[in-house]
Amino acid sequence: KAIEKAIDKNACKLYISTDSGTEKLYKRIKNINKYNEVWNNIEAYSKKQGNENTNVWIKYIIIPDINDNIESAKDFTDKVKMSGCKGIVIDIEREWYSGHENNEQAIKRIIPVMKYLDEYAKKNQLERYPFPSYIYIMNKYEEYYNNLKVII
């Protein structure tokens, strides 16, 4: 209840990293069975934020070989839409990124998911907060990103 009150008063921003839109994937990533509880809380918190405020942000960390595909991203965006959340945070798993930031083939494998999440946010008028690793990739592979077509 304290979180809901703070959101209602525009006194906090809440960032929740779900990284998934299905119970099975959530359990695989988080190693805990709290998927429904987390998304129910997200929905309750989202209802408390005012129309002008984005106080509840849902984070999707792209984890190669786990959720780095359009199907997983679509499951996530379907849940975001159902929750009423107005902001998404996009990031790339740090340990993977640290070892692959200069590996063009590996980076190009995750860019379609990045583009899908961006296009979804634009289409649905969600605020988007990209992390620095995400921005670096977007700048370095801007031409590849811009020429990529994804269907929302």
Side-chain angles (χ1 to χ4, degrees), residues 42-136:
I42 290 169
E43 188 173 340
Y45 299 151
S46 294
K47 287 179 182 175
K48 288 291 184 182
Q49 64 188 347
N51 290 332
E52 325 71 56
N53 305 320
T54 303
N55 299 85
V56 180
W57 294 78
I58 311 305
K59 189 172 182 181
Y60 191 87
I61 300 173
I62 299 169
I63 307 166
D65 300 321
I66 296 178
N67 69 352
D68 64 341
N69 58 74
I70 299 295
E71 182 181 342
S72 293
K74 184 180 181 330
D75 290 339
F76 170 78
T77 55
D78 288 348
K79 288 300 286 186
V80 168
K81 188 172 192 168
M82 288 174 38
S83 75
C85 181
K86 296 187 291 185
I88 61 172
V89 178
I90 307 166
D91 197 4
I92 300 157
E93 202 278 325
R94 286 189 182 124
E95 286 181 29
W96 181 88
Y97 175 73
S98 295
H100 293 86
E101 66 185 273
N102 293 312
N103 181 332
E104 183 174 341
Q105 183 179 356
I107 296 295
K108 284 185 173 179
R109 198 178 80 227
I110 66 170
I111 290 176
V113 176
M114 296 166 63
K115 175 108 181 200
Y116 175 86
L117 293 168
D118 277 338
E119 294 298 322
Y120 177 87
K122 288 176 195 170
K123 181 179 178 182
N124 291 280
Q125 299 175 331
L126 296 175
E127 287 192 56
R128 182 180 62 83
Y129 179 77
F131 267 55
S133 56
Y134 181 93
I135 294 168
Y136 172 81

